[in-house]
Amino acid sequence: MRTVDPDVFVQINDILCRFFLAFDQRDWPTMAECLAPQVTIDYSSSGREPPSTMSGDDFVRRRQNAVDSLSKQHGFSNLLITPQPDEKVVSARCNYLIMRFALSREFSTAEKDFFHSCGSYQFLLGKIKSEWKISSIKQNTLHSWGNAALHGGSSR
């Protein structure tokens, strides 16, 4: 198995940390900085939108509209980075756990006030002007639990 240079591993880990933290902190400009100009997405395993390609800005707007009413924490582990034939491209795979909580307490009396998910992500990242950028995101949902209605991006 080919491995990436340790410096590349640290750079990819850093961009993924920034990307996930941008969700948690609602830092949409930072999220946009993590993305290539065009991003291929696939959230179909969770019943969300079908696979498509869109601008990085459109991706950020969709995520902002889907999760801005939730308090959330993204965690990832088991990061595996694989070099591609083009040395300016790598694939990255990681497991994830996303904890989402309603900001409003209106859900705590009638329904569960959370919606959590776990699974894995597959990313493609490319070097653009000497910086790594995410060009493809595929989410493979293993399991979700709680009140799916809290997450605007989870409607089928």
Side-chain angles (χ1 to χ4, degrees):
M1 177 191 320
R2 289 181 42 209
T3 60
V4 295
D5 178 279
D7 289 337
V8 171
F9 185 93
V10 169
Q11 292 169 23
I12 299 301
N13 185 74
D14 182 68
I15 197 80
L16 294 177
C17 286
R18 290 175 191 278
F19 177 71
F20 288 128
L21 187 59
F23 273 105
D24 298 345
Q25 295 181 340
R26 294 180 185 76
D27 184 351
W28 308 120
T30 294
M31 180 179 287
E33 290 173 10
C34 296
L35 300 172
Q38 293 292 306
V39 182
T40 300
I41 63 160
D42 184 350
Y43 286 97
S44 59
S45 71
S46 63
R48 290 163 37 186
E49 65 227 62
S52 64
T53 300
M54 64 187 67
S55 74
D57 290 337
D58 283 344
F59 175 86
V60 171
R61 269 191 295 281
R62 287 183 183 201
R63 300 291 75 81
Q64 183 177 6
N65 292 336
V67 301
D68 204 29
S69 63
L70 300 172
S71 175
K72 53 210 162 301
Q73 180 176 341
H74 287 71
F76 73 96
S77 64
N78 297 27
L79 180 59
L80 177 64
I81 301 171
T82 306
Q84 300 300 293
D86 178 347
E87 63 186 42
K88 292 184 178 181
V89 177
V90 297
S91 65
R93 186 227 177 265
C94 64
N95 295 337
Y96 72 84
L97 174 63
I98 305 171
M99 310 290 280
R100 302 176 194 92
F101 298 93
L103 291 174
S104 168
R105 300 318 293 168
E106 69 183 84
F107 291 98
S108 63
T109 57
E111 302 180 53
K112 296 176 183 169
D113 65 349
F114 66 88
F115 180 62
H116 307 322
S117 299
C118 63
S120 66
Y121 276 108
Q122 293 173 279
F123 295 94
L124 280 179
L125 297 98
K127 248 195 174 167
I128 300 174
K129 296 180 182 177
S130 75
E131 292 185 11
W132 290 103
K133 302 287 183 177
I134 299 168
S135 62
S136 178
I137 305 166
K138 182 176 182 181
Q139 183 184 63
N140 302 298
T141 302
L142 176 63
H143 186 68
S144 296
W145 62 100
N147 183 356
L150 293 175
H151 191 286
S154 296
S155 58
R156 291 185 181 262

